[in-house]
Amino acid sequence: MFTLSDAIALATAAHDGQVDKSGRPYIGHPLRVMASVTGEHAQMAAVLHDVIEDTPVTASDLLAQGCPAVVVDAVVALSHLPGEPQEDYLRRVSADPLALTVKRADIADNLSPARLARLDAETQERLKIKYARALGLLDEYVS
């Protein structure tokens, strides 16, 4: 049976060597997102939310390892496809309740004062605008 520990191990291995915009190990971000949501499936989806988009891991790999289909569906919904307009991506996220929960937590982590403080002023402003727009679209799509 695939557990939260398995999801953490998979994400840690998949993101090994990756760093965030401030040069810190990338795995810190999915772990913080995971810690901010409740429920095993939400936590699994949170820690895995970037593996399909940012690593060689595929949805088939996740399913083959025993990851629950509902979690894989959420991770697929959270994976921004190359060239996909932001509006289409966020509409897809908003259609999956699990993905929507994780995306809101993802944005909250990306906008956290501690994380933003490690970035230059121009990047901070760009991200604040980007994520404010994303939250607005998510609100629009779910209402």
Side-chain angles (χ1 to χ4, degrees):
M1 179 171 151
F2 192 86
T3 65
L4 180 57
S5 294
D6 295 327
I8 293 168
L10 195 156
T12 301
H15 291 297
D16 186 48
Q18 294 179 341
V19 294
D20 66 15
K21 289 176 179 66
S22 68
R24 295 178 180 241
Y26 188 79
I27 191 61
H29 169 64
L31 289 171
R32 287 189 305 274
V33 176
M34 178 193 75
S36 72
V37 298
T38 58
E40 188 175 38
H41 285 165
Q43 290 179 320
M44 284 180 185
V47 78
L48 295 170
H49 80 271
D50 282 332
V51 297
I52 292 175
E53 183 175 330
D54 295 338
T55 79
V57 174
T58 66
S60 295
D61 295 335
L62 294 175
L63 290 169
Q65 296 230 3
C67 187
V70 66
V71 172
V72 175
D73 290 345
V75 175
V76 168
L78 288 158
S79 301
H80 198 159
L81 303 172
E84 181 179 30
Q86 185 77 346
E87 296 80 5
D88 294 349
Y89 163 65
L90 293 171
R91 188 172 278 113
R92 199 161 39 82
V93 167
S94 68
D96 182 307
L98 194 54
L100 180 62
T101 295
V102 172
K103 187 62 183 175
R104 288 187 188 282
D106 175 38
I107 291 171
D109 184 66
N110 284 328
L111 286 175
S112 74
R115 194 156 189 219
L116 286 174
R118 292 192 291 270
L119 304 172
D120 62 80
E122 185 179 319
T123 302
Q124 287 181 35
E125 191 57 30
R126 180 180 57 79
L127 291 177
K128 286 177 185 177
I129 292 167
K130 172 186 174 181
Y131 292 123
R133 182 173 182 271
L135 288 170
L137 288 170
L138 288 173
D139 289 343
E140 176 185 325
Y141 297 152
V142 296
S143 56

